[in-house]
């Protein structure tokens, strides 16, 4: 019995080995060897890339035909190189370089030799390709942008590099992949799946028909169409307002977190990054280190948030029970600690309660509130940690988790941050009062400020900002439909919302009201420093504005940041009001604001660091000096040093 069992075991193991060897050497090897067999021609059939539509169904991105000259180095026969180069409009040196590159990639596999021929060049070359063995023309699609706006949102396609090919074997040399914007974020959705066709060749290298009757051929699977949340008309209008200015505009629908507009200035036409001129155009844009058109300021620029940040301190003060809305603070053109003036302030009625403090943007009021938050606790570090947790619950100081490939965290300092700077228990609230007015060590991106405005408009919650609205045959990720709560109780928002409403009614944005729309906003002016010849130099202040509208059940929340824009209501406030009216009414009644924005440029301000022209800065107020007849009814921020011996952060 044992002998029979042993024999059966040997026979069974033998059959398993034979079956496995047959599969590996006969069946599976045949499919694998197709890519190595020079007698079989491999041609990829590239799928239609998914279309992109805006939130209203307007087509933004389609496809256009393109033709690549492909080469299989092993099959190349002696040819008239000069004639071939003339047809392709390349030099002999280029020919050698491209051929060697293809040969190093694989002598047996096809790779692009000259990509993206025009229809005209393709028509001329097609008739003569029979003279050049080893070369053939392959059709594929390029992007066809139906718009000249939103380059930072839409992104572009470029050739895959070797690192990507190694990580993702689906791609091969010459394939196109999303490089920026939604083309990168939703590459897997948009790209589809390549098909492939195998053809049998005879000993004269001529195709005699499909290999194995097409047994191993596959059809391409088209990419999925997507609809994005951008309102293309609002985006277009925002880019128009940002002409000759630098900065960012981000508009969000507070009810669901959908990004309505994502404007960066300056921008560029996305069609510049399509076709054979892509690399040259991209290099020109990328190497413009002054204007930086490829840098998305709405997502990547980290600025001092300025006075809009004061509303966060108001909410934290209410939550922590250190201030009541009716409590008043005296302002003597600034905040004093003993006999020392810690911050300046502009002229307004005094004393002020929370409503007037927000409406008139009183620095003294918010420094007082901020100090009470920190000093509520025996240890300043503990107070800072609690303050930081509240601020971060609004999406500040961290990546928001949106579905675009670039961004910055901003900064909300905590107790550990200042312990590292000053030493444990060697600092207090008077050291860091600039945080009270959105200066100091606090930084935020425009999209974070827009999200902050959305959370306030919702009275304490927000949805993760996102750009995707619909995916063909699929649903959007649940993280974009999940509500996120702040740490502030809902009842504390009404006094702050009313204060922001009064910014438009009787405060620093009273001149920017839009008929028929109840807007809640907050102006801001932030100091602006750079180093010129290793010397810290103060430039013209940044202009900031955040808002939401209508007051109840808001449809839009917005943040506008204009570099070197003087003060909040001068550039950013005007632009925010116009964007809100454009979205809600689809019309502009404040043509005076529009005309002013479209006829005023800041290019002269941006040239000053390079031209040597001086900046006229009023060191008392940090506002650029202007004639009294033009003086703004606006706030300003001044991060005056508190202790001349304290270390720099």
């Amino acid at each position: 019995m044992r002998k029979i069992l042993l024999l059966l075991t040997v026979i069974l193991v033998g059959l398993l080995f034979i079956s496995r060897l047959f599969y590996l050497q006969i069946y599976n090897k045949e499919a694998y060897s197709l890519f190595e067999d020079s007698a079989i021609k491999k041609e990829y059939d590239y799928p239609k890339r998914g279309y992109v539509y805006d939130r209203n169904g307007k087509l933004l991105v389609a496809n256009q035909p393109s033709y690549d000259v492909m080469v299989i180095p092993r099959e190349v026969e002696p040819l008239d190189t000069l004639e071939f180069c003339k047809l392709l409009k390349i030099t002999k040196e280029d020919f050698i370089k491209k051929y060697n590159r293809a040969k190093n990639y694989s002598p047996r596999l096809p790779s692009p030799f000259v990509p993206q021929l025009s229809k005209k060049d393709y028509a001329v070359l097609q008739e003569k390709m029979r003279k050049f063995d080893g070369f053939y023309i392959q059709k594929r699609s390029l992007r066809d942008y139906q718009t000249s706006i939103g380059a930072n949102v839409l992104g572009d396609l470029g050739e895959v590099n070797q690192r990507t090919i190694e990580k993702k074997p689906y791609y091969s040399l010459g394939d196109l992949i999303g490089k920026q914007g939604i083309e990168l974020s939703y590459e897997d959705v948009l790209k589809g799946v390549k098909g492939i066709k195998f053809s049998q060749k005879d000993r004269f290298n001529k195709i005699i028909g499909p290999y194995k009757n097409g047994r191993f051929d596959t059809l391409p699977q088209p990419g999925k169409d997507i609809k994005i949340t951008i309102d293309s008309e609002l985006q277009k209008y925002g880019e128009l307002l940002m002409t000759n200015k630098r900065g960012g505009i981000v508009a969000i629908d507070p009810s669901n977190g959908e990004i309505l507009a994502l404007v960066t200035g300056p921008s560029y036409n996305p069609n510049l990054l399509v076709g054979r001129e892509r690399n040259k155009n991209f290099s020109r844009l990328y190497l413009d280190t002054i204007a930086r058109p490829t840098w998305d300021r709405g997502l990547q620029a980290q600025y001092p948030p300025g006075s809009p940040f004061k509303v966060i301190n108001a909410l934290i003060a209410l939550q922590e029970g250190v201030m009541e809305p009716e409590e008043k603070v005296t302002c003597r053109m600034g905040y004093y600690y003993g006999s020392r003036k810690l911050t300046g302030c502009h002229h307004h009625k005094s004393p002020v309660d929370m409503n007037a403090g927000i409406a008139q943007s009183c620095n003294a009021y918010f420094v007082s509130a901020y100090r009470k938050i920190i000093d509520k606790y025996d240890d300043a570090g503990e107070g800072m940690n609690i303050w930081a947790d509240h601020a971060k619950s609004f999406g500040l100081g961290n990546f928001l988790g949106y579905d675009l490939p670039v961004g910055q965290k901003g900064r909300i300092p905590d107790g550990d941050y200042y312990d590292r700077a000053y030493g444990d228990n060697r600092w207090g609230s008077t050291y860091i009062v600039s945080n009270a007015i959105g200066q100091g060590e606090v930084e935020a991106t425009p999209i974070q400020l827009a999200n902050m405005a959305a959370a306030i408009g919702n009275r304490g919650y927000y949805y993760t900002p996102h750009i995707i609205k619909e995916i063909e045959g699929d649903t959007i990720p649940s993280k974009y439909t999940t509500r996120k709560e702040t740490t502030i109780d809902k009842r504390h928002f009404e006094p702050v919302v009313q204060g922001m409403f009064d910014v438009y009614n009787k405060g620093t944005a009273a001149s920017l009201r839009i008929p028929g729309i109840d807007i809640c906003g907050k102006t801001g002016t932030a100091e602006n420093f750079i180093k010129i010849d290793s010397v810290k130099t103060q430039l013209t202040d940044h202009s900031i504005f955040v808002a939401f509208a209508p007051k109840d059940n808001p449809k839009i929340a917005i943040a506008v940041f204009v570099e070197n824009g003087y003060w909040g209501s001068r550039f950013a406030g005007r632009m925010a009001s116009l964007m809100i009216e454009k979205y809600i009414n689809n019309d502009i009644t404040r043509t005076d604001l529009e005309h002013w924005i479209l006829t005023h440029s800041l290019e002269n301000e941006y040239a000053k660091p390079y031209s040597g022209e001086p900046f006229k800065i009023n060191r008392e107020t940090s506002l650029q000096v202007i004639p009294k007849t033009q003086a703004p009814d606006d706030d300003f921020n001044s991060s005056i040093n508190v202790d001349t011996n304290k270390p720099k952060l």
Side-chain angles (χ1 to χ4, degrees):
M1 185 67 182
R2 289 182 179 179
K3 290 182 180 181
I4 296 174
L5 182 61
L6 180 61
L7 181 62
L8 289 174
T9 302
V10 171
I11 293 172
L12 180 61
V13 171
L15 289 173
L16 287 174
F17 271 104
I18 292 171
S19 300
R20 183 60 179 167
L21 288 172
F22 175 84
Y23 174 79
L24 292 175
Q25 295 187 21
I26 306 299
Y27 180 81
N28 194 49
K29 184 178 178 181
E30 181 179 21
Y32 176 77
S33 65
L34 295 178
F35 291 91
E36 297 295 325
D37 192 340
S38 60
I40 300 172
K41 183 179 180 180
K42 286 73 63 177
E43 291 182 274
Y44 285 112
D45 191 356
Y46 285 87
K48 175 184 79 71
R49 195 169 176 89
Y51 283 14
V52 180
Y53 300 85
D54 84 340
R55 67 184 298 107
N56 299 312
K58 181 179 179 180
L59 180 62
L60 299 178
V61 188
N63 298 310
Q64 58 180 311
S66 174
Y67 307 92
D68 295 347
V69 176
M70 307 295 291
V71 62
I72 303 175
R74 184 175 178 176
E75 298 178 8
V76 174
E77 300 291 341
L79 71 155
D80 187 336
T81 308
L82 293 179
E83 180 188 6
F84 195 53
C85 290
K86 185 177 180 180
L87 288 170
L88 294 177
K89 299 178 181 178
I90 61 174
T91 65
K92 185 176 180 180
E93 290 73 18
D94 287 335
F95 177 94
I96 296 172
K97 182 179 179 181
K98 292 174 183 292
Y99 177 80
N100 288 336
R101 179 191 179 206
K103 188 175 181 180
N104 289 335
Y105 169 68
S106 173
R108 296 183 178 85
L109 298 179
S111 58
F113 191 75
V114 175
Q116 302 173 15
L117 292 179
S118 67
K119 290 182 180 179
K120 182 179 179 181
D121 291 339
Y122 164 71
V124 173
L125 187 62
Q126 185 184 30
E127 297 180 358
K128 300 186 178 182
M129 284 302 293
R130 56 184 176 76
K131 298 168 60 177
F132 308 109
D133 292 330
F135 295 90
Y136 67 95
I137 296 177
Q138 177 173 274
K139 183 179 179 181
R140 75 166 82 211
S141 293
L142 292 181
R143 278 316 211 184
D144 183 13
Y145 295 98
Q146 306 288 304
T147 179
S148 61
I149 63 166
N152 60 314
V153 176
L154 301 175
D156 65 282
L157 303 180
E159 287 191 27
V160 294
N161 54 35
Q162 189 61 39
R163 183 181 301 175
T164 302
I165 294 172
E166 292 171 359
K167 289 183 178 179
K168 301 178 179 180
Y170 167 83
Y171 297 99
S172 55
L173 192 65
D175 283 0
L176 301 179
I177 191 173
K179 291 290 187 179
Q180 302 176 88
I182 58 172
E183 295 283 17
L184 173 56
S185 295
Y186 289 95
E187 165 70 14
D188 290 341
V189 173
L190 293 167
K191 68 178 174 62
V193 179
K194 290 183 292 187
I196 189 168
K197 178 182 179 182
F198 298 98
S199 300
Q200 182 71 58
K201 294 187 290 186
D202 61 17
R203 61 192 183 94
F204 300 106
N205 212 31
K206 302 298 181 182
I207 294 176
I208 58 176
Y211 177 75
K212 296 286 187 180
N213 294 318
R215 174 183 172 188
F216 297 103
D217 294 354
T218 59
L219 294 174
Q221 300 175 25
K224 296 180 180 180
D225 296 343
I226 65 172
K227 181 181 286 189
I228 61 175
T229 62
I230 293 293
D231 183 318
S232 58
E233 290 301 314
L234 187 67
Q235 178 78 19
K236 181 179 179 180
Y237 190 62
E239 292 189 14
L240 175 66
L241 297 178
M242 194 60 78
T243 304
N244 295 323
K245 305 164 192 73
R246 297 177 190 169
I249 303 174
V250 182
I252 295 173
D253 184 341
S255 68
N256 51 29
E258 293 179 353
I259 300 172
L260 304 173
L262 181 58
V263 176
T264 183
S267 188
Y268 57 92
N269 189 324
N271 288 289
L272 288 174
L273 301 186
V274 177
R276 296 181 67 178
E277 298 296 308
R278 180 198 181 275
N279 290 341
K280 183 176 72 173
N281 289 335
F282 180 79
S283 296
R284 177 172 56 83
L285 293 168
Y286 183 77
L287 295 175
D288 183 354
T289 57
I290 297 176
R292 304 179 73 182
T294 61
W295 189 50
D296 192 333
R297 286 169 166 86
L299 302 177
Q300 294 176 282
Q302 299 180 107
Y303 302 105
S307 288
F309 191 73
K310 292 174 180 177
V311 297
I312 293 295
N313 283 315
L315 289 166
I316 297 173
L318 292 173
Q319 181 68 27
E320 288 297 309
V322 298
M323 295 283 278
E324 293 296 330
E326 301 79 16
E327 184 176 342
K328 293 187 176 181
V329 173
T330 299
C331 179
R332 295 179 291 155
M333 296 292 288
Y335 181 87
Y336 288 81
Y337 179 62
S339 61
R340 182 182 298 173
K341 187 176 184 179
L342 299 189
T343 67
C345 195
H346 64 121
H347 177 72
H348 59 78
K349 292 181 180 180
S350 178
V352 294
D353 59 11
M354 181 171 288
N355 181 276
I358 294 172
Q360 300 300 329
S361 199
C362 175
N363 285 348
Y365 181 90
F366 289 100
V367 171
S368 177
Y370 177 73
R371 288 200 62 209
K372 286 184 178 182
I373 297 167
I374 306 304
D375 294 342
K376 174 184 176 181
Y377 300 90
D378 294 335
D379 177 68
E382 181 184 359
M384 272 301 299
N385 288 337
I386 291 172
W387 173 86
D389 288 342
H390 285 306
K392 289 177 180 179
S393 75
F394 286 81
L396 300 168
N398 212 330
F399 294 110
L400 280 170
Y402 49 75
D403 52 343
L404 285 162
V406 297
Q408 294 291 338
K409 293 175 64 175
R411 181 170 59 217
I412 297 294
D414 55 15
D416 291 339
Y417 182 92
Y418 290 111
D419 282 341
R420 292 193 299 271
Y422 298 121
D424 293 353
N425 301 317
R426 298 185 63 184
W427 57 279
S429 62
T430 56
Y431 280 61
I432 53 176
V433 293
S434 291
N435 291 332
I437 56 177
Q439 296 276 177
E441 287 68 58
V442 177
E443 289 185 344
T445 61
I447 194 171
Q448 289 174 327
L449 293 180
N451 187 68
M452 179 191 81
I456 296 172
N458 288 337
R459 277 64 167 179
Y461 67 89
Y462 66 91
Y463 295 91
T464 300
H466 54 280
I467 205 77
I468 192 68
K469 188 172 180 66
E470 294 179 12
I471 300 174
E472 181 185 3
D474 204 347
T475 58
I476 67 172
S478 60
K479 69 176 182 177
Y480 301 131
T481 58
T482 302
R483 179 165 149 169
K484 294 187 174 182
E485 304 286 342
T486 69
T487 57
I488 309 299
D489 294 341
K490 183 177 181 179
R491 61 190 174 90
H492 294 312
F493 282 88
E494 287 308 321
V496 173
V497 169
Q498 185 61 42
M500 295 177 70
F501 181 64
D502 285 339
V503 167
Y504 265 91
N505 287 321
K506 56 186 179 182
T508 54
S511 63
L512 307 178
R513 287 194 295 265
I514 301 296
I517 303 178
D518 292 335
I519 305 178
C520 300
K522 186 70 194 76
T523 51
T525 307
E527 290 180 322
N528 177 20
F529 293 92
I530 65 167
K531 283 190 176 181
I532 301 177
D533 296 330
S534 300
V535 177
K536 185 179 181 181
T537 305
Q538 186 171 5
L539 278 61
T540 306
D541 298 329
H542 295 316
S543 175
I544 316 166
F545 200 90
V546 301
F548 60 86
K551 180 183 177 184
D552 299 315
N553 300 316
K555 298 178 181 178
I556 182 173
I558 192 167
V560 182
F561 206 108
V562 181
E563 297 179 9
N564 302 49
Y566 293 76
W567 59 86
S569 62
R570 182 175 172 89
F571 279 94
R574 285 180 167 96
M575 294 163 73
S577 292
L578 290 168
M579 290 285 285
I580 288 171
E581 184 175 26
K582 179 71 173 177
Y583 182 69
I584 292 179
N585 291 342
N586 196 30
D587 192 20
I588 298 297
T589 59
R590 288 299 305 270
T591 54
D592 57 322
L593 300 182
E594 182 182 64
H595 179 265
W596 194 95
I597 287 293
L598 296 180
T599 56
H600 283 71
S601 169
L602 286 170
E603 290 299 323
N604 182 58
E605 288 293 334
Y606 305 137
K608 286 181 180 179
Y610 310 97
S611 67
E613 184 178 345
F615 295 89
K616 298 177 182 179
I617 301 294
N618 184 328
R619 299 295 175 180
E620 279 269 339
T621 65
S622 297
L623 280 179
Q624 188 154 350
V625 176
I626 56 174
K628 289 185 178 179
T629 56
Q630 301 177 23
D633 179 18
D634 198 1
D635 61 295
F636 66 89
N637 294 327
S638 179
S639 53
I640 308 297
N641 64 307
V642 178
D643 187 342
T644 56
N645 295 317
K646 73 177 184 177
K648 294 181 180 179
L649 300 182

